[in-house]
Amino acid sequence: MTSLRDLGLSEYEARAYRALLRTGATTAKELSRASDVPMGRVYDVLNSLEQYHLIRSQAASRPKKYVAVEPDTALDRLLESKRQELAEKAEQYENVVAELTDELDAAEPVHDQFWTAAVGADETIDLLVERLAAADDSLAMVAGTPSPQFDLDAVGDLVVDELEAALDRGVEVSMLMSPGLVDSLPESVGQSYMDRLSSRSNFRARTAENVTGVFNLIDDVEVCIEVPNPLDPGRAFAMIDLKDPEFAADLRATFDPRWEEAAPFSL
């Protein structure tokens, strides 16, 4: 059950405000009795409610009287107070993240061998987006055939978002695709490519007939490879992320000649 406490009031503040709605203009002593707020606390509670602009006081009267503002106004003011509080918190967290990013990025990367795998569409997409976001220097993307388990509209938007962010970081992005994949791309993905990627100086895209499989070569030390389903080769089964500089170097040696022979991509 929701209550005024959900909007930041204490139990005593909520009791006092509700009591003032019932009693109308009243003194602190009368309010203490009506709300069950101890007399020793009632003035602090009233001062707090005045700071929230939830009550008004009649200072000229003796003893001083208090009245509640209308509920709609009070709730709007509490909501706005919460919004400001959350905005300040968000800014604080953003500053913390910025400081920690600089601190953690200062550490030298470790290039020991390591691999992990994601199975299923959602997990595979999450892993792919995560690794694209990790690129610092270079990103070579090879895509031969679309995976029928993915919504190309949704996945295409996610990939374009990450590629745009990578380009903003100065990453050199090379994308090699088969003509069949290009033909299968939704119009929205092609439009995103034209609007957000094609004009960038550090982005290049080409097509080649002999492109098969799907993999991403990240910073020449890490590879994300889509694994087809052995029972249905037309469908993806999983994605493996392998951090291995030696394997990545072999893959680069295979990629470069095909890239040189490929044709520039245009919609």
Side-chain angles (χ1 to χ4, degrees):
M1 181 178 177
T2 57
S3 73
L4 290 170
R5 297 185 67 182
D6 296 322
L7 291 175
L9 296 189
S10 70
E11 178 64 29
Y12 283 167
E13 289 164 351
R15 284 189 202 171
Y17 177 76
R18 287 181 181 277
L20 279 172
L21 289 177
R22 296 193 305 269
T23 64
T26 191
T27 65
K29 185 175 181 180
E30 292 167 343
L31 179 63
S32 175
R33 289 196 297 265
S35 64
D36 290 328
V37 174
M39 193 62 198
R41 294 292 312 281
V42 72
Y43 286 104
D44 289 340
V45 168
L46 288 167
N47 287 337
S48 180
L49 290 174
E50 280 194 293
Q51 290 177 359
Y52 279 119
H53 303 292
L54 303 186
I55 64 173
R56 292 178 287 111
S57 61
Q58 186 179 8
S61 64
R62 291 292 182 271
K64 189 175 183 179
K65 289 188 176 182
Y66 302 85
V67 66
V69 302
E70 290 73 10
D72 286 349
T73 301
L75 292 173
D76 285 345
R77 288 173 177 173
L78 286 173
L79 179 59
E80 182 59 29
S81 176
K82 273 297 178 185
R83 283 175 174 158
Q84 292 178 2
E85 180 184 328
L86 291 172
E88 291 170 0
K89 282 289 185 184
E91 184 176 357
Q92 291 175 8
Y93 290 138
E94 288 169 2
N95 292 335
V96 169
V97 168
E99 292 178 11
L100 288 175
T101 297
D102 292 340
E103 176 189 333
L104 297 175
D105 282 349
E108 288 295 324
V110 177
H111 294 317
D112 292 339
Q113 290 185 349
F114 180 81
W115 71 272
T116 188
V119 178
D122 291 342
E123 291 78 6
T124 296
I125 293 167
D126 287 345
L127 178 60
L128 172 62
V129 169
E130 174 194 307
R131 301 325 301 154
L132 294 180
D136 290 321
D137 301 310
S138 64
L139 180 59
M141 306 182 70
V142 175
T145 55
S147 173
Q149 78 182 63
F150 295 146
D151 178 344
L152 288 180
D153 270 314
V155 176
D157 287 342
L158 289 173
V159 170
V160 169
D161 287 345
E162 289 304 329
L163 291 181
E164 188 174 40
L167 294 169
D168 288 341
R169 297 194 301 273
V171 176
E172 294 289 333
V173 177
S174 304
M175 180 181 291
L176 183 60
M177 299 174 287
S178 69
L181 176 66
V182 173
D183 292 341
S184 70
L185 291 175
E187 183 178 348
S188 61
V189 176
Q191 192 62 48
S192 291
Y193 161 82
M194 292 297 296
D195 293 344
R196 299 165 62 185
L197 305 179
S198 62
S199 63
R200 306 292 288 269
S201 61
N202 50 337
F203 177 81
R204 299 175 298 166
R206 297 182 181 180
T207 60
E209 293 288 350
N210 59 347
V211 175
T212 58
V214 176
F215 71 84
N216 303 276
L217 178 59
I218 303 164
D219 294 337
D220 286 335
V221 296
E222 182 178 356
V223 183
C224 268
I225 306 174
E226 186 178 283
V227 180
N229 189 327
L231 301 178
D232 184 358
R235 297 182 65 84
F237 173 70
M239 181 166 286
I240 294 177
D241 180 73
L242 177 65
K243 184 170 286 190
D244 185 331
E246 185 175 340
F247 178 71
D250 291 341
L251 202 57
R252 169 63 74 174
T254 301
F255 171 81
D256 286 344
R258 295 194 179 187
W259 176 262
E260 294 303 323
E261 297 170 357
F265 167 64
S266 62
L267 288 174

